[in-house]
């Protein structure tokens, strides 16, 4: 008998491992908890659910709990109004009599609109677990937090957690086009089916909203920053309203991008001049119409006078003129305007890294109260590593939104494994010294530094219609991590990775430890084999995939970004060059400007470094550069080996998918390394350092490799 049970148990475990998982459930898999002690603890503490109120958000919180507990604990939680029962989970706001009874009003007051606490309390003669918040959405966030604790196998016996999001607007930016394609999207088509909206509410919209709510993302810009004015027509507003209805219970507000020339294109006006009375009226009426269909509409995101998009500059008006006209239309309805700071002119001899600062910094104080300005993390364009954007800290009167990019446009698409938690951390913890030491970007964007009422953070989404949402199974971690860092810019990238791995794959330490290590090193590895030491924008011009430091056409010359010549490599942004260092506060300005003190990982961003320059290690710059490329490739090999060793610990489906992707990443890391090293060698004319094997082919071969699959 015993043997049979053992055998059955073995078969079950085996089935779980080989059972293919397609990744659709993301980190909300709610895997059955097999640890008997833990399961007993959870079961006894969560025997019954007390919910004293009703609303769409409370309903989805309850549904999530019931579904999750059924899956994890194989039990039905019973709903009751009786709080005097051991093992109660009491959830709600003060509107619930069960919560009101607990005299928590004072503590709740400090939690704001979205905060929550989870606490073990005495209720009558018994202890109970309470999830309380001021608003229903806080309750839902609390429920997801409790489920996260359970999915990561934490004890909930005596629990005291209080969470308040540090940033108000935590928004995904979808670069989705109305025709279903996604700009820089690598995981299928758009999940929004505009053709079938408003009639069909795909189950996927709901699961999207659940995933967002589970990490606290509370907004979604549905369409591309390269906007189509059609999305503001009545027809599309009705479709958008249907999506807004679907996302609302999960606290996800809908935003749209607004094409600056919409008054002309869909309004029939002769101009889109933001100071023209008719244009002002048009935007005001349009905003009223939007709010008629979507009463809690978040606002607009605008890309103007950037990469050919229309904007106020077309009428010799400033960005502030343009932004304020649209912002004033939104203001009476409570909407905000997010105005992007990604502007540059593609002009020879002018340093692109300086342009956004030059254009926007003088406008500080000129924007209306409901305008947020949205720069990317660096002044060029989502590069694997950039110096941080100097606008952070330099516009104290303007709330700044940090724009991250989850879709891996410059990071190997959905093919390379790159965990971005490390990148989020690097930029958010960067000290700007704007108001002395400790003026981190996190404090700038949370509004803490200047006490702004508005604050925001944006992530360009990496999801699409692929069954697992993000293409690469590990790219899901970037969506998850974005939510966590948006909620708390002080988050720890290692802890975030830890929780994500546990929920997405396994709590088994033998899996968790090596896989977490692999994730935490992955961003630096990609930097090493693509753009070490502050190199940037040397990727294939058209695709942004694979190396292209040699690319040159009449409009674009990769050389402008690396300046390789017989003397050395890198762009001089010190006083002898473009002087971009002057856009940073002291002591950074000095330390960036000095070849001896600049961080090595930004060396070539700020300096033109002679090939023979002696590095702190005592070795030459040329040798170190090359070795960095070789290190990157070696690290991908290590990632492959680490992954091979965890075979059998998770389902074969996802295991094999990641294995194949890592193999491709390895091949492409070599392509990057060999192409770049040989290209730079054609300027340095130096030998490869000892231990670095000569690339298998000539430079001409690497130059001719087409984008894989095209
Ligand atoms: C660049 C992308 C381009 C975007 C642009 C933007 O290549 O497709 O439209 O950024 O952010 O990185 O507006």
């Amino acid at each position: 008998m015993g043997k049979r049970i053992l055998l059955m148990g073995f078969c079950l475990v085996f089935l779980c491992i080989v059972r293919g998982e397609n990744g659709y459930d993301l980190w909300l898999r709610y895997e059955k908890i097999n640890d008997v002690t833990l399961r007993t603890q959870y079961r006894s503490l969560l025997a019954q659910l007390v919910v004293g109120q009703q609303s769409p958000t409370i309903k989805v919180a309850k549904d999530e709990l019931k579904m999750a507990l059924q899956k994890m604990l194989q039990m039905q939680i019973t709903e009751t109004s009786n709080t005097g029962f051991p093992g109660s989970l009491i959830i709600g706001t003060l509107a619930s009599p069960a919560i009101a009874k607990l005299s928590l009003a004072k503590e709740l007051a400090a939690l704001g609109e979205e905060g929550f606490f989870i606490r073990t309390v005495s209720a009558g003669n018994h202890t109970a677990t309470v999830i309380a918040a001021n608003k229903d959405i806080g309750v839902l966030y609390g429920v997801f937090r409790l489920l996260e604790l359970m999915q990561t196998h934490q004890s909930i016996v005596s629990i005291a957690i209080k969470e308040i999001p540090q940033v108000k607007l935590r928004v995904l930016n979808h670069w989705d086009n109305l025709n279903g394609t996604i700009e820089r999207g690598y995981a299928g088509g758009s999940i929004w089916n505009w053709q079938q909206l408003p009639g069909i509410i795909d189950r996927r919209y709901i699961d999207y909203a659940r995933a967002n709510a589970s990490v606290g993302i509370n907004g979604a810009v549905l369409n591309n920053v390269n906007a189509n004015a059609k999305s503001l027509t009545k027809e599309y507003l009705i479709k958008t309203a249907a999506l807004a209805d679907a996302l609302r219970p999960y606290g996800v507000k809908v935003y749209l991008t607004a094409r600056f020339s919409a008054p002309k294109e869909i309004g029939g006006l002769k101009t889109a001049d933001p100071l023209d009375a008719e244009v002002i009226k048009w935007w005001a009426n349009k905003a009223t119409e939007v709010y008629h269909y979507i009463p809690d509409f978040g606002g607009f995101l605008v890309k103007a006078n950037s990469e050919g998009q229309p904007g106020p500059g077309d009428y010799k008006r400033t960005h502030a003129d343009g932004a304020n006209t649209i912002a004033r239309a939104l203001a009476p309805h409570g909407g905000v305007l997010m105005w992007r700071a990604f502007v540059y002119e593609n002009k020879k001899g002018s340093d692109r890294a300086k342009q956004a600062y030059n254009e926007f910094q003088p406008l500080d104080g000129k924007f209306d109260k409901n305008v947020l300005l949205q720069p990317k993390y660096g002044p060029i364009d989502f590069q694997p590593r950039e110096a941080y954007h100097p606008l952070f800290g330099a516009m104290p009167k303007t709330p700044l939104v940090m724009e991250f990019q989850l879709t891996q446009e410059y990071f190997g698409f959905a093919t390379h494994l790159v965990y971005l938690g490390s990148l989020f951390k690097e930029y958010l913890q960067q000290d700007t010294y704007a108001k002395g030491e400790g003026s981190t970007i996190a404090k700038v964007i949370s509004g803490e530094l200047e006490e702004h009422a508005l604050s925001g953070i944006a992530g360009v989404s990496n999801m699409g219609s692929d069954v697992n949402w993000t293409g690469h199974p590990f790219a899901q971690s970037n969506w998850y991590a974005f939510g966590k860092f948006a909620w708390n810019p002080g988050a720890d990238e290692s802890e975030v990775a830890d929780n994500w791995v546990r929920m997405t794959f396994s709590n088994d330490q033998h899996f968790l430890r090596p896989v977490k290590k692999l994730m935490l090193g992955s961003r630096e590895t990609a930097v090493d084999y693509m753009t070490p030491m502050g190199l940037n924008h040397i990727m294939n011009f058209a695709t942004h995939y694979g190396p292209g430091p040699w690319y040159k056409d009449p409009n674009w010359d990769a050389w402008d970004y690396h300046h390789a010549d017989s003397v050395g490599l890198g762009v001089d942004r010190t006083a002898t060059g473009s002087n971009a260092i002057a856009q940073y506060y002291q002591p950074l300005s000095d330390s960036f400007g000095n070849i001896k003190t600049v961080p090595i990982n930004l060396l070539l961003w700020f300096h033109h470094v002679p090939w023979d320059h002696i590095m702190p290690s005592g070795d030459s710059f040329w040798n170190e550069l090359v070795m960095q490329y070789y290190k990157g490739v070696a690290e991908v090999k290590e990632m492959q080996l680490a992954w091979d060793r965890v075979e059998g610990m998770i389902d074969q489906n996802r295991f094999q998918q990641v294995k194949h992707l890592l193999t491709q990443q390895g091949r492409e890391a070599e392509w990057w390394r060999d192409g770049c090293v040989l290209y730079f060698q054609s300027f340095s004319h130096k030998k490869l350092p000892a231990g670095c094997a000569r690339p298998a082919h000539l430079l001409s071969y690497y130059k001719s490799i087409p984008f894989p699959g095209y």
Side-chain angles (χ1 to χ4, degrees), residues 254-333:
V254 154
Y255 299 71
L256 290 172
T257 54
R259 186 160 164 86
F260 195 79
S261 51
K264 275 163 69 184
E265 290 173 33
I266 56 167
L269 301 188
K270 289 209 174 60
T271 176
D273 180 349
L275 301 191
D276 179 277
E278 288 298 306
V279 172
I280 294 173
K281 204 162 91 197
W282 188 87
W283 281 112
N285 289 340
K286 185 46 76 180
T288 306
E289 187 189 356
V290 172
Y291 281 89
H292 166 73
Y293 292 112
I294 312 156
D296 57 352
F297 181 69
F300 292 135
L301 169 67
V302 178
K303 170 177 177 178
N305 291 128
S306 162
E307 301 185 324
Q309 294 299 311
D314 306 353
Y315 308 94
K316 307 226 167 347
R317 310 295 185 197
T318 67
H319 281 279
D321 295 331
N324 291 343
T325 288
I326 304 180
R328 276 168 210 167
L330 293 163
H333 310 281

Side-chain angles (χ1 to χ4, degrees), residues 362-675:
L363 296 177
D364 191 30
K366 302 242 157 54
F367 291 101
D368 276 22
K369 272 205 170 63
N370 60 333
V371 178
L372 300 106
L373 190 68
Q374 183 167 315
K376 297 181 178 183
Y377 56 84
I380 298 243
D381 191 5
F382 299 136
Q383 295 302 294
R385 175 169 281 109
E386 300 195 23
Y388 75 89
H389 204 306
L391 277 175
F392 291 108
M395 296 188 68
K397 298 192 181 114
T398 315
L400 295 190
V401 174
M402 163 64 85
E403 184 173 310
F404 285 123
Q405 190 184 46
L406 318 186
T407 189
Q408 292 169 225
E409 175 181 355
Y410 295 98
F411 257 132
F413 294 5
T415 304
H416 294 205
L417 191 164
V418 181
Y419 168 59
L420 293 174
S422 330
L423 182 146
F424 302 155
K425 167 81 175 266
E426 178 174 316
Y427 289 95
L428 291 169
Q429 290 314 313
Q430 169 72 48
D431 199 342
T432 67
Y433 293 89
K435 289 177 102 180
E437 200 175 339
S439 310
T440 59
I441 292 184
K443 285 190 191 159
V444 173
I445 64 148
S446 68
E448 189 187 331
L449 204 62
E450 302 293 344
E451 291 176 17
H452 287 304
L454 274 179
S455 60
I457 183 165
V460 179
S461 151
N462 62 349
M463 83 196 62
S465 57
D466 275 9
V467 66
N468 73 357
W469 303 84
T470 55
H472 200 305
F474 276 79
Q476 295 178 355
S477 68
N478 294 332
W479 178 5
Y480 174 86
F482 169 71
K484 291 290 178 179
F485 276 91
W487 182 274
N488 172 17
D492 175 57
E493 78 277 29
S494 171
E495 194 183 316
V496 170
D498 191 290
N499 284 336
W500 179 80
V501 175
R502 286 170 181 273
M503 294 192 286
T504 307
F505 288 111
S506 168
N507 277 283
D508 180 351
Q509 283 296 334
H510 296 101
F511 181 86
L512 178 63
R513 237 180 290 121
V515 171
K516 203 169 88 182
K517 182 162 171 250
L518 171 161
M519 284 173 78
L520 290 173
S522 62
R523 184 270 184 137
E524 208 57 50
T525 293
V527 170
D528 284 346
Y529 64 72
M530 290 179 176
T531 53
M533 295 178 153
L535 282 170
N536 62 92
H537 234 314
I538 56 171
M539 33 289 288
N540 178 292
F541 167 73
T543 59
H544 294 173
Y545 196 87
W550 43 77
Y551 186 84
K552 185 181 173 64
D553 73 21
N555 299 315
W556 181 276
D557 193 343
W559 190 87
D560 293 337
Y561 293 84
H562 60 67
H563 287 191
D565 58 19
S566 60
V567 177
L569 180 65
V571 178
D572 183 3
R573 294 195 161 99
T574 69
T576 54
S578 76
N579 205 24
I581 55 156
Q583 293 181 340
Y584 294 91
Y585 287 90
Q586 288 294 12
L588 290 179
S589 183
D590 274 357
S591 98
F592 288 161
N594 183 337
I595 199 167
K596 293 211 177 88
T597 53
V598 64
I600 290 180
N601 61 19
L602 290 174
L603 181 64
L604 304 175
W605 183 278
F606 287 112
H607 296 270
H608 189 65
V609 183
W611 301 114
D612 286 325
H613 172 75
I614 298 300
M615 302 290 290
S617 66
D619 211 343
S620 72
F621 158 63
W622 164 253
N623 277 0
E624 281 218 358
L625 175 76
V626 175
M627 287 189 301
Q628 203 78 6
Y629 271 108
Y630 278 74
K631 180 166 161 266
V633 172
E635 282 166 356
V636 181
K637 295 256 149 64
E638 275 168 35
M639 289 164 79
Q640 292 169 347
L641 291 175
W643 188 253
D644 285 347
R645 282 192 290 268
V646 300
E647 180 162 18
M649 296 186 203
I650 60 161
D651 58 289
Q652 271 295 318
N653 203 17
R654 290 185 298 167
F655 174 81
Q656 287 297 340
Q657 195 184 354
V658 173
K659 183 177 165 70
H660 288 298
L661 288 167
L662 281 172
T663 306
Q664 184 169 348
Q665 183 174 354
R667 271 199 313 270
E668 294 174 353
E670 286 180 12
W671 171 30
W672 263 101
R673 176 196 68 189
D674 295 346

